[in-house]
């Protein structure tokens, strides 16, 4: 039965940020399932990615609020050279706690500006609702997709003025994390609790996030709906491997919180031991944090093996991922911040290629590692069990290098039943069940 659905998401296509993928894909899947889908988002600004233009054209309406929350920084320019980007010092997973006074002050000010901007954005949405209450009360359901906080603030507006509309509060991230600013932490905690109390249904993107945000308090109305992938995004079957012993990393590095150094170290040691020829190794990077990537590679003498692809449109980015031999994933799992489940991981799963997962932090058995092992996707190194895992990482790379020299593909035994549950169509079905 067709439902009328409103999605509120500040991050939405054609903005060029990873945060647009979940809400945009959910909108697409719900529309393809036969529902009426309207979207409220921000007027696009900054770098734009038009790979979703066909999706946007099929939605019933996209309402844009011309109120950016904060002015975003300018991305690094693209460069074909591997060493032209400025070097920046990488920090470990506790880097936010070790900020200098000046850096911490800037962080606090920026976070206060985000909250202030979110409230201004919400006021604009409130004007839209009050100007046409009949329209907004006609929806069967509203889905607010956090972050930023404006999305759930708008959800609260809908619940106040349109109480009969079912509200699904979607948490792509917890509202409070280890590096949340001191001056906004209390506000965010209270807001998160209020959203959990007022919403009809609560959704988290991983089991770890579910525990952190909801615990047992809201188990009667909370569930996990993972991020997903859409096989229509790229013709994986028609994409040939690049023929290189290549490792591709795509995305942000969060000032070094995402740490690639275990991979660089493992390959350097194999080269020093005469087991791998350094000239066979290629690291490919796509994103705007090349300086951080190079600073990590430099520690193990690997910067000359790095090729920079800059910021790529999503379609080109997917093609790059589909053509490589190994996909590199970096995340963290630490006390107070467990359950991190990057959306990029789901894209990687879709490719059906070898994944080298690197998990920083002091907590073992991350959700990413559990899925990696169940699905047979490659190798997962965890800093919490570094001694054992580093040896396994080196052995995995060496075994595959020997296969590479014989002209063979990586030896993977992927559990398709496990990977297919992350298809975005299944996420849409779960949302339909809540509605």
């Amino acid at each position: 039965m067709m439902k009328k659905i409103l999605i509120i998401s500040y991050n939405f296509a054609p903005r060029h940020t990873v945060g647009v993928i979940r809400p945009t894909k959910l909108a697409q899947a719900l529309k393809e399932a036969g529902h009426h889908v309207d979207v409220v988002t921000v007027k696009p600004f900054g770098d734009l990615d038009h790979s979703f233009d066909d999706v946007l054209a099929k939605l019933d309406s996209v309402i844009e609020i011309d109120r950016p929350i904060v002015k975003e920084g300018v991305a690094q320019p693209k460069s074909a050279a591997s060493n032209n980007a400025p070097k920046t010092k990488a920090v470990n997973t506790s880097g936010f706690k070790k900020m200098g006074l000046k850096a911490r002050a800037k962080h606090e000010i920026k976070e206060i500006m985000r909250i202030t901007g979110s409230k201004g954005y919400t006021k604009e949405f409130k004007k839209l609702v009050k100007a046409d209450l009949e329209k907004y009360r006609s929806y069967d359901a509203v889905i607010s997709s956090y972050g930023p906080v404006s999305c759930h603030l708008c959800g609260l507006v809908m619940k106040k003025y349109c109480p009969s509309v079912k509200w699904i509060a979607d948490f792509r991230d917890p509202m409070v994390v280890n590096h949340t600013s001191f001056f906004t932490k209390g506000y965010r905690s209270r807001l998160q609790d209020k959203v959990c109390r007022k919403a009809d249904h609560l959704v988290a993107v991983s089991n770890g996030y579910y525990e952190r945000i909801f615990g047992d308090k809201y188990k009667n109305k909370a569930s996990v709906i993972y991020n997903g992938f859409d096989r229509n995004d790229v013709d994986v079957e028609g994409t040939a491997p690049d023929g290189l012993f290549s490792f591709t990393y795509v995305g942000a590095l969060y000032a070094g919180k995402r740490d690639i150094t275990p991979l660089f170290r493992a390959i350097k040691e194999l080269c020093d031991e005469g087991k791998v020829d350094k000239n066979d190794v290629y690291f490919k990077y796509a994103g705007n944090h090349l300086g951080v990537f190079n600073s990590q590679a430099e520690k193990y003498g690997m910067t000359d093996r790095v090729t920079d692809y800059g910021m790529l449109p999503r379609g080109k980015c997917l093609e790059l991922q589909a053509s490589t031999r190994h996909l590199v994933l970096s995340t963290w799992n630490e006390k107070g911040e467990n359950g991190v489940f990057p959306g990029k991981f789901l894209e990687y799963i879709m490719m059906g290629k070898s994944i080298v997962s690197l998990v920083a932090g002091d907590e073992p058995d991350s959700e990413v590692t559990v899925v990696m092992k169940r699905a047979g996707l490659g190798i997962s190194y965890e800093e919490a069990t570094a001694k054992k895992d580093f040896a396994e990482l080196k052995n995995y790379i060496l075994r595959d290098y020997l296969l590479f020299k014989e002209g063979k593909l990586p030896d993977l035994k992927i559990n398709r039943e496990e990977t297919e549950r992350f298809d975005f169509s299944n996420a849409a079905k779960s949302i339909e069940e809540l509605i």
Side-chain angles (χ1 to χ4, degrees), residues 189-200 202 209-223:
S189 296
R190 291 189 298 273
L191 178 59
Q192 181 170 279
D193 186 59
K194 185 175 182 179
V195 170
C196 289
R197 285 187 284 108
K198 296 287 187 179
D200 296 287
L202 303 168
Y209 280 5
Y210 177 104
E211 292 298 326
R212 285 168 59 185
I213 302 169
F214 314 133
D216 292 331
K217 190 174 181 180
Y218 299 104
K219 61 182 179 181
N220 62 316
K221 60 177 180 178
S223 58

Side-chain angles (χ1 to χ4, degrees), residues 56 71-72 120 137 191 212 283 308 333 390 394 415:
L56 297 179
K71 184 177 180 181
E72 296 193 342
R137 286 173 177 169
L191 178 59
R212 285 168 59 185
F283 297 102
D308 172 32
N333 194 53
F390 184 73
K394 278 183 67 175
N415 181 342

Side-chain angles (χ1 to χ4, degrees), residues 247 262-263 265-267 269-270 326 354-358 365 369 372-373 378-401:
F247 298 81
L263 175 61
R265 176 191 164 199
I267 291 177
E269 289 189 9
L270 288 169
H326 298 284
S354 164
I355 299 174
V356 177
S357 170
L358 307 169
D365 302 318
T369 296
M372 284 283 296
K373 290 179 178 178
I379 186 73
S380 190
Y381 162 93
E382 294 193 333
E383 183 182 12
T385 50
K387 186 174 182 180
K388 172 181 70 71
D389 287 7
F390 184 73
E392 291 178 359
L393 175 62
K394 278 183 67 175
N395 287 335
Y396 181 83
I397 294 169
L398 179 58
R399 287 197 306 271
D400 186 65
Y401 181 72

Side-chain angles (χ1 to χ4, degrees), residues 23 68 74 132 142 145 172 205 218 231 277 327 333 335 338 361 368 372 377 397 408 435:
V74 179
D132 198 349
V142 57
S145 185
R172 290 184 290 108
V205 299
Y218 299 104
R231 294 199 182 279
D277 185 344
L327 292 165
N333 194 53
K335 194 170 184 179
N338 52 359
V368 165
M372 284 283 296
L377 296 168
I397 294 169
K408 298 178 181 179
I435 296 173

Side-chain angles (χ1 to χ4, degrees), residues 23 43 110 135 187 201 397:
K43 184 177 181 179
K110 188 173 183 178
K135 170 189 172 180
Y187 171 80
H201 294 290
I397 294 169

Side-chain angles (χ1 to χ4, degrees), residues 12 46 64 187 238 302 312 325 413:
F12 203 81
E64 297 173 349
Y187 171 80
M302 290 291 164
L312 294 176
R325 186 174 183 93
K413 297 178 177 61

Side-chain angles (χ1 to χ4, degrees), residues 320-335:
L320 177 67
Q321 293 169 204
S323 66
T324 194
R325 186 174 183 93
H326 298 284
L327 292 165
V328 181
L329 179 76
S330 181
T331 185
W332 60 87
N333 194 53
E334 59 191 37
K335 194 170 184 179

Side-chain angles (χ1 to χ4, degrees), residues 252-273:
L253 287 159
Y254 296 106
K257 190 174 176 73
R258 286 180 173 169
D259 186 10
I260 317 297
T261 55
L263 175 61
F264 293 132
R265 176 191 164 199
I267 291 177
K268 182 180 189 303
E269 289 189 9
L270 288 169
C271 292
D272 290 347
E273 293 164 6

